[in-house]
Amino acid sequence: MINVQFAALPERWATYEAPLRAAFAEAGLEVDLRLDHAPADVDYVVYAPNSNLQDFTPYTRCKAVLSLWAGVEKIVGNQTLTMPLCRMVDPGLTAGMVEWVTGHVLRYHLDIDRTIHTQDRWAPVVPPLAEERPVTVLGLGALGQACAQMLATLGFPVTGWSRSEKSIDGITCRHGDAGLRDALAMAQIVVLLLPDTPATENTLNRDTLALLPKGARIINPGRGPLIDDDALLAALDRGQIGHATLDVFRVEPLPMVHRYWTHPNVTVTPHIAAETRPLTAARVIAENIRRGEADDVFLHQVDRRLGY
Ligand code: NDP
Ligand code: OXD
């Protein structure tokens, strides 16, 4: 019997229990899934970083902590978490992010707000085709790559930026510090899908925002610290940035006094770009437990040195 502890907000148990049990059965795993195993008996922890479990010291035989979240910045530095940590890469979450990003890119591309606001007048403005609208995606991981590919399929010229060198069909790939300048130089729309690490903090700052063509639009479903907020607000005020759609913030919920709420050229969404979907995520968890039991390498194991 494999002992699995579910450690997330208590209200999540009702959503995840049945999909996890079904996925374990489907994978042929005999699992005792509970909220309350004795820590020393636990083989795997299914984990959300906002759960009460923060001290992993008593989890002496735990083979892996399997995160339900894609972003691991809240736990990657936890010194008591010495066992392998796997982040969530879930087809359902990826599909949600592709839809959210594509929707917001199309909102900008088609100038949907302006069209709606002028609908009392017959004033046709023909939008350009996607092929005339360069888009840059910062981050070419599970989510960035899927979004970049969907945008390229729609006809946008897409440039992607990552830490390591990549080659992806239909995407102009840039990497490293030097590649960022190229990736931003032509971008009319920038999507941020980087993890929050010391190396990615303030990727968009006063200097890099100035590299963008005037009026460029920013979409951030990545993490708040990727953007220097004061620099973005200043760039919005002087029109260097035309509009920003922000889903994630340094402090969440975004404090009501924050200027983002009232800035006319900012859209705030409450960290809803993409949710982990229990049915598909449960299969990913089951597959990692199967791998752990077979002494195979885990999927999506976090590199603590890199922080993602
Ligand atoms: P991945 O780890 O799969 O991809 C991260 C990408 O960022 C990789 O391409 C990586 O490069 C690149 N990267 C990391 N560090 C740097 C750096 N210093 N310079 C340049 N590129 C860098 O993550 P996901 O795609 O799964 O997720 C991305 C983020 O999306 C998550 O970390 C999370 O913060 C956020 N997220 C937000 C959600 C929401 O609802 N708003 C939902 C889910 C996730 P390389 O390929 O070379 O390693
Ligand atoms: C995640 C998120 O990291 O929802 O999974 O932001």
Side-chain angles (χ1 to χ4, degrees), residues 135-137 140 157-161 166 168-174 183:
V135 178
T136 282
V137 180
L140 286 173
V158 180
T159 301
W161 181 67
K166 290 201 189 310
I168 304 169
D169 261 3
I171 313 292
T172 303
C173 294
R174 298 284 179 256

Side-chain angles (χ1 to χ4, degrees), residues 130-154:
E131 65 185 32
E132 298 162 64
R133 181 87 67 195
V135 178
T136 282
V137 180
L138 302 181
L140 286 173
L143 300 176
Q145 195 168 138
C147 292
Q149 282 171 322
M150 173 57 81
L151 295 171
T153 301
L154 290 174

Side-chain angles (χ1 to χ4, degrees), residues 13-58:
W13 175 243
T15 318
Y16 275 97
E17 184 188 0
L20 282 169
R21 290 195 193 286
F24 296 148
E26 199 177 279
L29 298 169
E30 282 196 33
V31 170
D32 185 2
L33 173 68
R34 292 198 214 166
L35 289 165
D36 61 352
H37 282 293
D41 295 340
V42 170
D43 296 303
Y44 300 89
V45 178
V46 176
Y47 188 65
N50 60 353
S51 88
N52 288 333
L53 172 53
Q54 298 296 330
D55 180 7
F56 291 86
T57 319

